Amino acid sequence: MKLRSKVAALATTALAVGGVTLMASPAQADLVTLCSGHGGAITLPTDLAVPAGKSCFLDGTVIQGDITVRQGANLHIVGGEVEGEVIVQKDAYFDASDTTVGDRVLNRGSFGTYLEESSTGAALRTVPVEGGNTDGFAFVVDSSVKSVNAEVGAVYVSGSRIGGAVKADGVEYADIYDSVVRGALTVTDPTAGGILCDSEVIGAATYTGGAGPVAVGAGEVGGFCSSVNYVDGDLSVSGVTGGVYVDNNIVGGDLVTSDNSPTAQVGDSNRVRGGIITEEVALRSLAAAVAEEFEAHEENLVEEVETARADTIDEALAAGPAF
C-alpha cells in the first residue's frame, strides 16, 4: 500500500476526557472521538473519525454515531456496530468484518472498502471526486447490503445478498458470484467487463457498452461456474467489445444481444420464457483466457485486501491504545 500523508491540521478545539480525544466543532455541539491506534469492546456515544494518514483497529467497538475515515487513513473494525453511516474519503481504506453498519457506506475517491460477513442498512456507494483514487474497490463478501451504486473502481460481490438494485456505471469491472440481487442489475461501460455466475437477479439484468469481456452464466471451464443463473426479468447485453458469452441461464423475460463486437456467443443451455432476440445462437465454451482474466480479478482482490488489512492492523497496534 502506498505511503499515507501526515495528519492534516485540525481547525477544531480538542478536549481530553477519560483518555478519549473528543473534538468539539465551533459550528455544532456534536462530539467526535478520534481513533489512531487500537480499541476494544467499548461503546462510544459520539461520532468517530480516523485522522488523515492514521490507522485504527477496533475489536468489538460500538459507535453510536457516524464514522469518517479521513484522507489516506485506514480503519479495520471486527465484531463491531456502527449506528450511523461510514464515509471513506480520498485514498482511505475501510475494512469491516462481522460488523453492522446502520446506514450507508460512501466511498469518495477512496482506496477501497471491504465488507466481510457484515451488513449495511443502506447503500454501498462509490463516487469519483477530484484528486481521488480512480482504481479503488468495493468488495462485498458473505455480507448483506441494501444496494450497490458504483461510479468508479472495481465491484466484486461474492456469497452475498443485495436487498435492492446493483448499478455499476463506468467502473473497472462488476463481478457477481453466488449471490442474490433483489432488484435490477445494470452495468454500463465497464473498462474490464464483468461476470454473473451462480447467482439470482430478481429483476432485469442489463449490460451496455464497455470493453468487456462480459460472461453471463457462461464458463464451465474447470468448474468456473458450477450452476445456472436465474434472471427474473429481461437479460440484455449490447454494445460490448472484447467478447460476450451467455449460457446456462434461466430467464423470465427476453434474452437480447445486439451490436456486440465480436458477435455474442449464446449457448443452447439457456432456458428463456420470453423471446430470444440475438445475432447468433452458437454452442461455444468460454475461452480459457477469459476465464483466467476473471480469476485474476479475484486474485487481485485477495492480494489488495490482505495487504491493506495487514498494514492497517500493524500500524494501529504500533500506535498503541486509541482510548
Side-chain angles (χ1 to χ4, degrees), residues 232-321:
D232 187 54
D234 295 338
L235 169 58
S236 175
V237 186
S238 62
V240 175
T241 60
V244 172
Y245 306 83
V246 181
D247 202 7
N248 301 318
N249 298 285
I250 299 173
V251 181
D254 295 336
L255 169 58
V256 180
T257 67
S258 63
D259 301 321
N260 299 296
S261 179
T263 301
Q265 297 185 21
V266 181
D268 64 357
S269 294
N270 295 297
R271 298 293 178 263
V272 182
R273 187 168 188 175
I276 298 178
I277 307 167
T278 182
E279 309 123 320
E280 179 180 358
V281 178
L283 179 59
R284 301 177 185 175
S285 63
L286 185 68
V290 174
E292 290 173 2
E293 180 170 339
F294 287 126
E295 288 167 350
H297 292 176
E298 184 171 0
E299 290 172 1
N300 291 337
L301 150 70
V302 172
E303 182 178 354
E304 285 188 293
V305 169
E306 286 183 349
T307 300
R309 178 175 286 179
D311 287 351
T312 298
I313 294 174
D314 289 347
E315 291 170 12
L317 292 178

Side-chain angles (χ1 to χ4, degrees), residues 140-142 155-161 173-181 194-200 215 218 223-226 229 286 290-299 301:
V140 182
V141 178
D142 299 331
V155 177
Y156 181 95
V157 178
S158 176
S160 296
R161 182 183 180 89
Y173 60 81
D175 292 354
I176 299 177
Y177 295 87
D178 189 27
S179 295
V180 176
V181 178
I195 187 169
L196 182 67
C197 186
D198 301 338
S199 295
E200 296 181 45
F224 188 64
C225 286
S226 59
N229 288 320
L286 185 68
V290 174
E292 290 173 2
E293 180 170 339
F294 287 126
E295 288 167 350
H297 292 176
E298 184 171 0
E299 290 172 1
L301 150 70

